[in-house]
PDB file of all heavy atoms in Angstrom:
ATOM      1  N   ALA A 964      -6.083 119.097 179.290  1.00 92.00           N
ATOM      2  CA  ALA A 964      -5.589 118.212 178.231  1.00 92.00           C
ATOM      3  C   ALA A 964      -4.141 117.814 178.484  1.00 92.00           C
ATOM      4  O   ALA A 964      -3.740 116.668 178.247  1.00 92.00           O
ATOM      5  CB  ALA A 964      -5.730 118.899 176.877  1.00 92.00           C
ATOM      6  N   ARG A 966      -2.577 117.482 181.389  1.00 92.00           N
ATOM      7  CA  ARG A 966      -2.495 116.473 182.455  1.00 92.00           C
ATOM      8  C   ARG A 966      -2.940 115.105 181.960  1.00 92.00           C
ATOM      9  O   ARG A 966      -2.358 114.082 182.322  1.00 92.00           O
ATOM     10  CB  ARG A 966      -3.343 116.913 183.650  1.00 92.00           C
ATOM     11  CG  ARG A 966      -2.708 118.075 184.436  1.00 92.00           C
ATOM     12  CD  ARG A 966      -3.528 118.433 185.647  1.00 92.00           C
ATOM     13  NE  ARG A 966      -4.843 118.946 185.261  1.00 92.00           N
ATOM     14  CZ  ARG A 966      -5.785 119.296 186.118  1.00 92.00           C
ATOM     15  NH1 ARG A 966      -5.571 119.155 187.426  1.00 92.00           N
ATOM     16  NH2 ARG A 966      -6.951 119.758 185.697  1.00 92.00           N
ATOM     17  N   MET A 967      -4.000 115.067 181.138  1.00 92.00           N
ATOM     18  CA  MET A 967      -4.435 113.778 180.599  1.00 92.00           C
ATOM     19  C   MET A 967      -3.357 113.160 179.712  1.00 92.00           C
ATOM     20  O   MET A 967      -3.057 111.963 179.806  1.00 92.00           O
ATOM     21  CB  MET A 967      -5.728 113.949 179.806  1.00 92.00           C
ATOM     22  CG  MET A 967      -6.963 114.228 180.649  1.00 92.00           C
ATOM     23  SD  MET A 967      -8.434 114.423 179.622  1.00 92.00           S
ATOM     24  CE  MET A 967      -8.470 112.858 178.774  1.00 92.00           C
ATOM     25  N   GLY A 968      -2.748 113.989 178.822  1.00 92.00           N
ATOM     26  CA  GLY A 968      -1.702 113.456 177.957  1.00 92.00           C
ATOM     27  C   GLY A 968      -0.500 112.995 178.745  1.00 92.00           C
ATOM     28  O   GLY A 968       0.132 111.988 178.425  1.00 92.00           O
ATOM     29  N   ARG A 969      -0.128 113.746 179.791  1.00 91.00           N
ATOM     30  CA  ARG A 969       0.998 113.338 180.642  1.00 91.00           C
ATOM     31  C   ARG A 969       0.753 111.979 181.274  1.00 91.00           C
ATOM     32  O   ARG A 969       1.653 111.135 181.341  1.00 91.00           O
ATOM     33  CB  ARG A 969       1.189 114.390 181.735  1.00 91.00           C
ATOM     34  CG  ARG A 969       2.213 114.021 182.809  1.00 91.00           C
ATOM     35  CD  ARG A 969       2.023 114.894 184.026  1.00 91.00           C
ATOM     36  NE  ARG A 969       0.719 114.662 184.643  1.00 91.00           N
ATOM     37  CZ  ARG A 969       0.191 115.436 185.608  1.00 91.00           C
ATOM     38  NH1 ARG A 969       0.850 116.498 186.034  1.00 91.00           N
ATOM     39  NH2 ARG A 969      -1.001 115.171 186.116  1.00 91.00           N
ATOM     40  N   ASP A 970      -0.476 111.703 181.727  1.00 91.00           N
ATOM     41  CA  ASP A 970      -0.752 110.481 182.487  1.00 91.00           C
ATOM     42  C   ASP A 970      -0.916 109.260 181.602  1.00 91.00           C
ATOM     43  O   ASP A 970      -0.547 108.154 182.005  1.00 91.00           O
ATOM     44  CB  ASP A 970      -2.013 110.674 183.337  1.00 91.00           C
ATOM     45  CG  ASP A 970      -1.797 111.688 184.462  1.00 91.00           C
ATOM     46  OD1 ASP A 970      -0.625 112.017 184.739  1.00 91.00           O
ATOM     47  OD2 ASP A 970      -2.795 112.146 185.045  1.00 91.00           O
ATOM     48  N   ASN A 971      -1.486 109.415 180.381  1.00 91.00           N
ATOM     49  CA  ASN A 971      -1.696 108.210 179.561  1.00 91.00           C
ATOM     50  C   ASN A 971      -0.679 108.044 178.447  1.00 91.00           C
ATOM     51  O   ASN A 971      -0.624 107.009 177.799  1.00 91.00           O
ATOM     52  CB  ASN A 971      -3.112 108.194 178.974  1.00 91.00           C
ATOM     53  CG  ASN A 971      -3.407 109.396 178.093  1.00 91.00           C
ATOM     54  OD1 ASN A 971      -2.572 109.827 177.317  1.00 91.00           O
ATOM     55  ND2 ASN A 971      -4.621 109.945 178.204  1.00 91.00           N
ATOM     56  N   GLY A 972       0.143 109.079 178.160  1.00 90.00           N
ATOM     57  CA  GLY A 972       1.229 108.949 177.209  1.00 90.00           C
ATOM     58  C   GLY A 972       0.827 108.975 175.752  1.00 90.00           C
ATOM     59  O   GLY A 972       1.672 108.754 174.887  1.00 90.00           O
ATOM     60  N   GLY A 973      -0.453 109.224 175.423  1.00 92.00           N
ATOM     61  CA  GLY A 973      -0.900 109.225 174.041  1.00 92.00           C
ATOM     62  C   GLY A 973      -1.178 110.622 173.542  1.00 92.00           C
ATOM     63  O   GLY A 973      -1.075 111.618 174.255  1.00 92.00           O
ATOM     64  N   VAL A 974      -1.568 110.667 172.236  1.00 95.00           N
ATOM     65  CA  VAL A 974      -1.938 111.949 171.642  1.00 95.00           C
ATOM     66  C   VAL A 974      -3.231 112.428 172.290  1.00 95.00           C
ATOM     67  O   VAL A 974      -4.195 111.675 172.410  1.00 95.00           O
ATOM     68  CB  VAL A 974      -2.112 111.813 170.122  1.00 95.00           C
ATOM     69  CG1 VAL A 974      -2.601 113.132 169.522  1.00 95.00           C
ATOM     70  CG2 VAL A 974      -0.796 111.401 169.476  1.00 95.00           C
ATOM     71  N   ILE A 975      -3.278 113.681 172.700  1.00 95.00           N
ATOM     72  CA  ILE A 975      -4.447 114.239 173.370  1.00 95.00           C
ATOM     73  C   ILE A 975      -4.824 115.539 172.666  1.00 95.00           C
ATOM     74  O   ILE A 975      -3.968 116.369 172.351  1.00 95.00           O
ATOM     75  CB  ILE A 975      -4.161 114.481 174.873  1.00 95.00           C
ATOM     76  CG1 ILE A 975      -5.447 114.874 175.587  1.00 95.00           C
ATOM     77  CG2 ILE A 975      -3.063 115.493 175.096  1.00 95.00           C
ATOM     78  CD1 ILE A 975      -6.378 113.719 175.807  1.00 95.00           C
ATOM     79  N   PRO A 997       3.052 113.826 174.685  1.00 95.00           N
ATOM     80  CA  PRO A 997       4.041 114.067 175.736  1.00 95.00           C
ATOM     81  C   PRO A 997       5.427 113.554 175.352  1.00 95.00           C
ATOM     82  O   PRO A 997       5.576 112.556 174.639  1.00 95.00           O
ATOM     83  CB  PRO A 997       3.479 113.284 176.925  1.00 95.00           C
ATOM     84  CG  PRO A 997       2.630 112.241 176.325  1.00 95.00           C
ATOM     85  CD  PRO A 997       2.051 112.822 175.080  1.00 95.00           C
ATOM     86  N   TYR A 999       9.041 112.419 177.242  1.00 92.00           N
ATOM     87  CA  TYR A 999       9.603 112.033 178.526  1.00 92.00           C
ATOM     88  C   TYR A 999      11.126 111.940 178.422  1.00 92.00           C
ATOM     89  O   TYR A 999      11.700 111.829 177.332  1.00 92.00           O
ATOM     90  CB  TYR A 999       9.043 110.677 178.978  1.00 92.00           C
ATOM     91  CG  TYR A 999       7.540 110.643 179.099  1.00 92.00           C
ATOM     92  CD1 TYR A 999       6.755 110.098 178.074  1.00 92.00           C
ATOM     93  CD2 TYR A 999       6.883 111.144 180.223  1.00 92.00           C
ATOM     94  CE1 TYR A 999       5.382 110.060 178.168  1.00 92.00           C
ATOM     95  CE2 TYR A 999       5.506 111.098 180.334  1.00 92.00           C
ATOM     96  CZ  TYR A 999       4.760 110.567 179.306  1.00 92.00           C
ATOM     97  OH  TYR A 999       3.400 110.522 179.411  1.00 92.00           O
ATOM     98  N   LEU A1008       1.996 105.517 186.697  1.00 90.00           N
ATOM     99  CA  LEU A1008       1.562 106.903 186.607  1.00 90.00           C
ATOM    100  C   LEU A1008       2.598 107.834 187.238  1.00 90.00           C
ATOM    101  O   LEU A1008       2.925 108.890 186.697  1.00 90.00           O
ATOM    102  CB  LEU A1008       0.197 107.061 187.299  1.00 90.00           C
ATOM    103  CG  LEU A1008      -0.443 108.440 187.266  1.00 90.00           C
ATOM    104  CD1 LEU A1008      -0.730 108.856 185.831  1.00 90.00           C
ATOM    105  CD2 LEU A1008      -1.731 108.440 188.090  1.00 90.00           C
ATOM    106  N   ARG A1011       5.660 108.334 184.919  1.00 90.00           N
ATOM    107  CA  ARG A1011       5.395 109.214 183.779  1.00 90.00           C
ATOM    108  C   ARG A1011       5.349 110.681 184.215  1.00 90.00           C
ATOM    109  O   ARG A1011       5.837 111.568 183.514  1.00 90.00           O
ATOM    110  CB  ARG A1011       4.087 108.811 183.101  1.00 90.00           C
ATOM    111  CG  ARG A1011       4.181 107.520 182.297  1.00 90.00           C
ATOM    112  CD  ARG A1011       2.981 107.318 181.418  1.00 90.00           C
ATOM    113  NE  ARG A1011       1.779 107.017 182.181  1.00 90.00           N
ATOM    114  CZ  ARG A1011       1.412 105.809 182.565  1.00 90.00           C
ATOM    115  NH1 ARG A1011       2.172 104.788 182.248  1.00 90.00           N
ATOM    116  NH2 ARG A1011       0.299 105.609 183.237  1.00 90.00           N
ATOM    117  N   GLN A1093      -8.357 111.237 171.627  1.00 93.00           N
ATOM    118  CA  GLN A1093      -9.115 110.848 172.821  1.00 93.00           C
ATOM    119  C   GLN A1093     -10.368 111.710 173.020  1.00 93.00           C
ATOM    120  O   GLN A1093     -10.947 111.748 174.101  1.00 93.00           O
ATOM    121  CB  GLN A1093      -8.237 110.890 174.074  1.00 93.00           C
ATOM    122  CG  GLN A1093      -6.982 110.036 173.961  1.00 93.00           C
ATOM    123  CD  GLN A1093      -6.130 110.073 175.195  1.00 93.00           C
ATOM    124  OE1 GLN A1093      -6.648 109.994 176.296  1.00 93.00           O
ATOM    125  NE2 GLN A1093      -4.822 110.203 175.022  1.00 93.00           N
TER     126      GLN A1093
END
Side-chain angles (χ1 to χ4, degrees):
R966 287 183 295 178
M967 288 180 58
R969 173 197 64 191
D970 292 346
N971 60 41
V974 176
I975 188 75
Y999 302 99
L1008 182 62
R1011 287 192 290 273
Q1093 304 180 43

